[in-house]
């Protein structure tokens, strides 16, 4: 639920001024956004993971797997958002995100694809 809430934040694009304000190249901008999102979602998920890990210690590997999956879905959503920036995520990106959720191993292909597309999309605004 924490990651679904975090992913919901990244569905709408912010104003171009907020992106332009960063004096970074597109790759460093995306890495900064990913770092910030992972940090704050970790701070939100940490009490839940610690509680579940202590109560269900025998299932700790499943808890950590779901934590890793949440991080992967969040990363996918962020790079998908900026792959069509300044527009919104459209049907094609939505299908790719949904296929990554249904078949998580596809995220190994989808995330780098969106990351490359994001750097190209942001290169006009940043630099």
């Amino acid at each position: 639920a924490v990651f679904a809430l975090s992913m919901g934040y990244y569905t709408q694009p912010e104003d171009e001024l907020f992106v332009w304000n960063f004096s970074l190249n597109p790759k460093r901008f995306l890495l900064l956004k990913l770092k910030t999102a992972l940090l704050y979602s970790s701070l939100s998920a940490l009490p839940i993971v610690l509680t579940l890990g202590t109560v269900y210690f025998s299932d700790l590997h499943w808890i950590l797997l779901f934590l890793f999956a949440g991080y992967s879905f969040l990363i996918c959503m962020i790079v998908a958002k900026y792959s069509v920036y300044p527009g919104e995520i459209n049907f094609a990106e939505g299908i790719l995100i949904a296929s990554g959720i249904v078949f998580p191993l596809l995220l190994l292909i989808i995330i780098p694809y969106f990351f490359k597309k994001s750097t190209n999309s942001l290169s006009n605004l940043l630099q």
Side-chain angles (χ1 to χ4, degrees):
V2 169
F3 289 104
L5 183 67
S6 298
M7 286 171 52
Y9 172 76
Y10 288 101
T11 57
Q12 298 296 319
E14 65 260 54
D15 190 36
E16 289 183 23
L17 180 65
F18 294 121
V19 175
W20 174 80
N21 195 27
F22 287 88
S23 59
L24 302 171
N25 64 21
K27 183 178 178 183
R28 289 189 59 210
F29 172 78
L30 283 172
L31 291 176
L32 179 68
K33 285 290 188 174
L34 292 173
K35 182 178 115 179
T36 303
L38 293 176
L39 174 69
Y40 287 118
S41 62
S42 295
L43 290 175
S44 299
L46 187 63
I48 298 167
V49 169
L50 290 176
T51 303
L52 288 174
T54 55
V55 174
Y56 301 105
F57 186 74
S58 62
D59 294 327
L60 186 62
H61 60 283
W62 291 111
I63 296 167
L64 294 177
L65 182 69
F66 275 95
L67 181 68
F68 180 74
Y71 287 144
S72 300
F73 296 144
L74 182 61
I75 290 170
C76 182
M77 182 61 77
I78 292 170
V79 293
K81 170 187 174 178
Y82 288 107
S83 70
V84 293
Y85 191 80
E88 293 184 19
I89 295 175
N90 56 29
F91 187 71
E93 282 79 20
I95 292 294
L96 282 174
I97 293 168
S99 64
I101 290 173
V102 173
F103 304 109
L105 287 178
L106 283 178
L107 290 174
L108 296 173
I109 298 168
I110 295 169
I111 290 174
Y113 168 74
F114 278 144
F115 192 87
K116 176 115 173 98
K117 199 171 170 187
S118 295
T119 55
N120 292 338
S121 174
L122 291 170
S123 65
N124 295 334
L125 193 58
L126 297 171
Q127 289 184 356

